[in-house]
Amino acid sequence: MSGSSPARPQHVTPKRAPILPSFPAHYFLDFASFQYRQGQIPMISIPLSRDLIDSYHDPHSTASLYFERIHPFLPFISKVNFYEHFPAAHLQPNAVFAILVSCMKLVGWSPENNNDPKSPSYLAIKRTLAETEIAGIFSLQLLQATILVTLYEVGHAIYPAAYISAGTCARYALAQGIDAYMTIDLNNAVMTLLDQEEKRRAWWAILILDRFVNIGYPKRALTTHDPASDALLPADDAVFDQGSVTLDQLYTVSSSAEPNMGPFAKLCQASFLLGCVFRHICDLTAERAMHQEEGIQLSNRLQALLKVLEKENQISSATAICSSALMTLHDPNSARIDPMHLDFAKGMLKPAAEEPSQSVADFLAANIDYQAHPSPLLGHWIYQAATVVGRLNVYIGDDLGKIENLMARLEHLNRRWLVAGNSWNP
């Protein structure tokens, strides 16, 4: 976009005056009373540090790159709503918008010559988010910024921060009632279908990250509950980007996998099933026959979704999550070597284990400026497939593929997301 450079937030001295007005504690202490009195949450702002102000530079380019490289694999920010709130070039942006843009820029960072993701910008954003929490700022844009920071931490293996941040996202969203938008409220005269869809996508993004950070140890408790069977999956991504969300062609988490589902909807359904797998393998109280039947049903649903994904002939985050869920379901402790499991590995895990070695080479070009920008959610899938190959090839030869191919794919992915290297080199 052409035009004069946008105004930048003003720098202030480190000494900060008390922030007024304050958040109404009654919202939590007695919510029924808060509603009865028609309480309002005031607009609250905070001053910004110099580091965060610097990262806000050229917001148009930052947003453009974000929607080109990050948005395709985790589309939870509405382009229409974002650009409607974009401040005019001569106006100073509000603090929350500046924080969101800074987080968009942060998540676009690539290692290249610097392998330390804990940069001054990252640390400044973390400090600022803590200040917004203390100040009592309630905002969807601030929640979106927190999700982006969590994605950044997941992608570059900043732990335990990533795990804690996923929980923070969930708590912040629950406090705002974001989880209530898993169904459509037709009686809501204030909020459009697009606004409801954007909030629903934010909650789904949190569910995805919450399950992903637990994938290495499924017995660790999730912060978010499993969606109800009538919970809506996101609408088609193209429709969402155009801002023309309707009630047509909406699916629920219990819907059968279909090609017409949007890419993000398929990722959400895969993540929902991954959460079901976690619950299944941790359930030690169910009667044996019922437990086995549930496992079979989960396996069938995952395989059905995987077949739909395979027809798309491209690597996706949904493929990664779905394949990881299948591996976890059938071998939760990564220790089975019994004949039945070896047969299963040949018939089921072989395609999952070979897929990265066959397709990721095309997906992840040697050039760091990928034509298609990869998702960090691919990393654990490739690592998990490599561990399966390395462990089971001892018993069945090279029938599952070459581990060297998978190692090469991790090295390629590590050029964009450091989690790939951390998974293989603990």
Side-chain angles (χ1 to χ4, degrees):
M1 298 182 183
S2 58
S4 58
S5 299
R8 299 173 66 189
Q10 297 179 357
H11 175 61
V12 296
T13 59
K15 185 177 181 180
R16 299 180 179 181
I19 300 172
L20 294 174
S22 61
F23 186 90
H26 235 56
Y27 183 90
F28 286 96
L29 296 176
D30 189 350
F31 187 68
S33 174
F34 180 83
Q35 286 186 309
Y36 178 77
R37 297 178 182 179
Q38 297 182 331
Q40 298 292 323
I41 297 176
M43 296 294 294
I44 302 173
S45 187
I46 61 170
L48 301 176
S49 68
R50 169 58 65 185
D51 284 335
L52 195 137
I53 292 171
D54 290 342
S55 67
Y56 181 77
H57 177 68
D58 197 3
H60 286 286
S61 295
T62 295
S64 178
L65 287 174
Y66 169 82
F67 284 116
E68 175 190 344
R69 299 182 177 183
I70 306 299
H71 182 77
F73 64 77
L74 199 68
F76 69 99
I77 297 177
S78 166
K79 291 182 181 180
V80 172
N81 286 342
F82 176 82
Y83 283 111
E84 281 185 355
H85 290 93
F86 211 106
H90 66 282
L91 296 178
Q92 180 177 325
N94 64 57
V96 170
F97 186 84
I99 293 169
L100 176 58
V101 171
S102 298
C103 292
M104 287 178 161
K105 183 175 182 179
L106 176 72
V107 80
W109 176 85
S110 294
E112 297 185 9
N113 297 324
N114 177 15
N115 288 327
D116 186 6
K118 299 175 185 177
S119 63
S121 294
Y122 165 72
L123 296 176
I125 288 171
K126 292 286 284 187
R127 285 193 295 267
T128 303
L129 289 176
E131 291 176 3
T132 63
E133 177 186 326
I134 296 169
I137 299 178
F138 256 28
S139 163
L140 175 61
Q141 285 191 331
L142 194 58
L143 173 63
Q144 292 168 336
T146 308
I147 293 171
L148 289 180
V149 171
T150 306
L151 176 66
Y152 177 82
E153 292 169 339
V154 166
H156 297 297
I158 306 176
Y159 285 97
Y163 176 78
I164 295 171
S165 293
T168 299
C169 288
R171 283 291 190 184
Y172 189 47
L174 288 168
Q176 296 186 55
I178 300 295
D179 60 315
Y181 294 94
M182 294 299 273
T183 56
I184 288 179
D185 183 2
L186 296 176
N187 297 319
N188 193 324
V190 178
M191 193 169 297
T192 66
L193 290 179
L194 176 61
D195 293 336
Q196 293 185 49
E197 173 74 14
E198 186 172 26
K199 291 192 173 186
R200 181 161 51 254
R201 283 173 175 253
W203 183 244
W204 270 118
I206 295 167
L207 290 175
I208 291 167
L209 293 172
D210 188 31
R211 280 144 186 76
F212 187 81
V213 296
N214 283 282
I215 204 168
Y217 185 57
K219 295 181 180 180
R220 188 180 290 119
L222 296 173
T223 306
T224 55
H225 54 78
D226 287 334
S229 60
D230 63 342
L232 290 173
L233 293 170
D236 182 74
D237 297 339
V239 170
F240 175 63
D241 285 342
Q242 295 164 5
S244 53
V245 177
T246 66
L247 298 177
D248 298 332
Q249 288 190 323
L250 290 177
Y251 299 92
T252 67
V253 293
S254 58
S255 299
S256 300
E258 293 187 20
N260 290 334
M261 288 180 176
F264 191 48
K266 292 169 187 168
L267 171 59
C268 293
Q269 191 171 58
S271 299
F272 164 72
L273 292 173
L274 177 63
C276 293
V277 168
F278 289 171
R279 188 188 67 248
H280 173 78
I281 64 177
C282 294
D283 185 3
L284 303 178
T285 62
E287 194 271 328
R288 181 178 178 84
M290 292 181 59
H291 192 258
Q292 289 180 338
E293 179 61 26
E294 182 187 55
I296 292 172
Q297 292 178 3
L298 276 174
S299 182
N300 290 340
R301 289 197 65 185
L302 284 164
Q303 291 180 55
L305 178 56
L306 196 56
K307 286 180 180 178
V308 171
L309 293 166
E310 287 171 349
K311 291 179 181 178
E312 297 176 355
N313 197 30
Q314 65 178 359
I315 296 295
S316 69
S317 299
T319 304
I321 295 297
C322 197
S323 299
S324 288
L326 268 171
M327 294 182 190
T328 302
L329 175 64
H330 287 275
D331 190 12
N333 297 316
S334 300
R336 287 184 61 182
I337 57 173
D338 55 276
M340 182 181 295
H341 185 66
L342 294 180
D343 288 339
F344 166 80
K346 291 179 182 179
M348 177 56 64
L349 289 185
K350 181 176 180 179
E354 283 189 333
E355 183 70 14
S357 61
Q358 293 174 346
S359 302
V360 177
D362 298 329
F363 186 76
L364 301 180
N367 191 327
I368 190 64
D369 187 17
Y370 305 123
Q371 187 174 7
H373 300 280
S375 163
L377 304 185
L378 292 171
H380 186 82
W381 170 44
I382 302 172
Y383 164 76
Q384 196 173 21
T387 60
V388 170
V389 170
R391 183 167 57 84
L392 296 187
N393 274 357
V394 175
Y395 302 93
I396 57 179
D398 289 341
D399 284 354
L400 284 178
K402 299 290 186 181
I403 194 171
E404 291 81 5
N405 295 337
L406 296 167
M407 292 283 289
R409 304 292 74 78
L410 283 173
E411 290 176 6
H412 278 302
L413 186 60
N414 190 60
R415 298 181 64 183
R416 176 61 182 91
W417 300 104
L418 294 175
V419 66
N422 277 270
S423 63
W424 195 251
N425 298 298

